[in-house]
Every structure is written in C-alpha cells, then in structure tokens.
Amino acid sequence: MSQSPGVSDQNIYIVDDDEALRDSLVWLLESSGYRAVAFESAEQFLAAYQPAMTGCLVLDVRMPGMSGFELFDELRRQRSTLPVIFITGHGDVPMAVSAVKKGAVDFIEKPFGDRDMLGLIEGCLAAEQESRGKRRLEADTTRRLSSLTQREREVLDLIIAGKLNKQIADVLGISIKTVEVHRARVMEKMGAHSLAKLVQHVICAEPDTAP
C-alpha cells in the first residue's frame, strides 16, 4: 500500500496508469526498505508535486492524458531537481534515449527484473544525494560571499586569479600587511581552512570566476 506524498530521502514516486504494475513496484520497493508513493496519472502527480520533494521518480512513458515525457518536460520547466527513471516499451526506447540526453537519469524496458529496477533506483538516489549536497554547498558559499566587504571581495577575486600577496597589494594600492589582514578575514568568513578549499568552493558556486 502506498503512503501519502511527503518529503524523504528515500521516497520513490511511481507514476503509471497500470494498477497491477504500480502495486507490484510498491511492494518491491517497500519490501526493500524504501517509501513508495504511487500515482495513476501524470496529472495526479503534478497536482501533488512540491519543489522540496527528494528521492526518485519512476515514470511510465505512455499514459492516457499527459504522457510521461510531457510531465518530464513540465518538471524541467519548473526547475525540478527530482531525478527521473523512465519505464518504456520496446517502441519507446528512442524517445527514452532522447529524454536521458535532456536530463533523465535512465530508462528501463518492460518487462524488467526486480534487481534491474532496484539497481537503477539505488544509483539514482546516490546521484540525487550527491547533487543535493552540491546544491547545499553552493547555497552556503553564495551566502558567505554576500557577507564579504567590497575590499574583501576584491582580494578574494585576486586570490582566485592566482595572485600573490605582493601582487594583490600592488593591484589594490595597499600594503602587504593590509592584504594579509583582508586575506585572513576572507578565509574566516568563507569557512575555508586552506587556499585549495577556498578556490574550489568559489569556483563551484561561481564557475565564471575560474582563472
């Protein structure tokens, strides 16, 4: 039996108009320790969708009304970060490949084995968790960057550009001692314990700053 929609690291959302397949997948997933939430149509899922949902979406390609691909496109339009695995029939494979190129995680052909489905979901959740961690880091770095003064930001930009303290002092027209003070404050505010970490975090949050 499926649970009410919610937000959990282990939620697997199933969207398929085939009741028998939905029930089979719910049983498989719940017996494997996941929380399974089933929907009989794309419209029903879209009505329940929340941007904060995490986990994985297992989505049938062909359904009455809104198709799986149409739902996928709508979720992308809403900037959803929920990873998608498509369930396809043989004739849908070219479309599924196209969807993967557009951002879907993978697809699986009917009929499929339990191990194959569980393997895809395990990989999907691992990738989603990694992506979520990266987004949290980017948000934290952006917040820390906004706390810098204008001068500290100028010093940071020159550090990222690979400039030494003396070069930074020459560019900004300040003393090396002042550069050292600003540099220490930048490291503290950014929560970076090494120059390498500082550069990695800033480039991750602001790719255009890469030297």
Side-chain angles (χ1 to χ4, degrees):
M1 182 176 180
S2 62
Q3 301 179 1
S4 300
V7 178
S8 166
D9 287 349
Q10 297 300 314
N11 275 9
I12 313 298
Y13 303 96
I14 303 162
V15 182
D16 198 306
D17 63 307
D18 185 331
E19 183 177 3
L21 182 57
R22 286 199 311 273
D23 290 345
S24 174
L25 281 175
V26 167
W27 179 87
L28 170 66
L29 295 168
E30 291 187 342
S31 65
S32 300
Y34 298 110
R35 294 184 181 91
V37 187
F39 301 85
E40 64 182 12
S41 70
E43 290 87 350
Q44 187 184 64
F45 174 80
L46 199 56
Y49 171 71
Q50 301 171 23
M53 282 179 171
T54 59
C56 177
L57 173 60
V58 178
L59 179 58
D60 191 20
V61 169
R62 294 188 183 276
M63 294 180 287
M66 178 182 280
S67 71
F69 289 124
E70 289 170 335
L71 174 58
F72 176 67
D73 286 340
E74 175 60 23
L75 291 175
R76 281 174 53 85
R77 190 187 67 78
Q78 295 189 28
R79 300 185 182 279
S80 168
T81 58
L82 196 64
V84 175
I85 296 172
F86 277 108
I87 300 175
T88 74
H90 178 69
D92 300 320
V93 169
M95 289 186 290
V97 171
S98 175
V100 169
K101 291 179 179 178
K102 291 169 62 177
V105 172
D106 213 328
F107 65 90
I108 188 168
E109 270 191 276
K110 303 174 186 175
F112 49 81
D114 291 352
R115 287 187 179 182
D116 292 334
M117 174 60 81
L118 290 174
L120 276 183
I121 286 175
E122 183 179 351
C124 186
L125 290 176
E128 195 269 345
Q129 188 172 24
E130 181 180 349
S131 176
R132 190 150 32 97
K134 182 179 178 182
R135 292 195 301 274
R136 281 198 300 265
L137 176 60
E138 290 173 352
D140 181 63
T141 300
T142 299
R143 178 184 61 79
R144 290 177 180 274
L145 285 170
S146 68
S147 73
L148 300 179
T149 66
Q150 181 177 346
R151 180 61 85 189
E152 288 166 353
R153 183 60 205 241
E154 289 171 347
V155 170
L156 172 61
D157 289 342
L158 290 168
I159 292 172
I160 299 301
K163 302 296 184 183
L164 302 176
N165 284 358
K166 184 179 185 306
Q167 295 171 309
I168 294 174
D170 291 341
V171 171
L172 298 179
I174 56 179
S175 69
I176 294 178
K177 183 65 176 178
T178 301
V179 171
E180 291 172 350
V181 170
H182 285 312
R183 189 176 185 131
R185 287 177 179 166
V186 167
M187 296 292 285
E188 180 182 359
K189 287 185 177 182
M190 295 302 296
H193 302 295
S194 71
L195 179 59
K197 285 296 182 185
L198 176 68
V199 173
Q200 288 171 7
H201 289 179
V202 174
I203 290 177
C204 180
E206 300 183 340
D208 291 341
T209 62

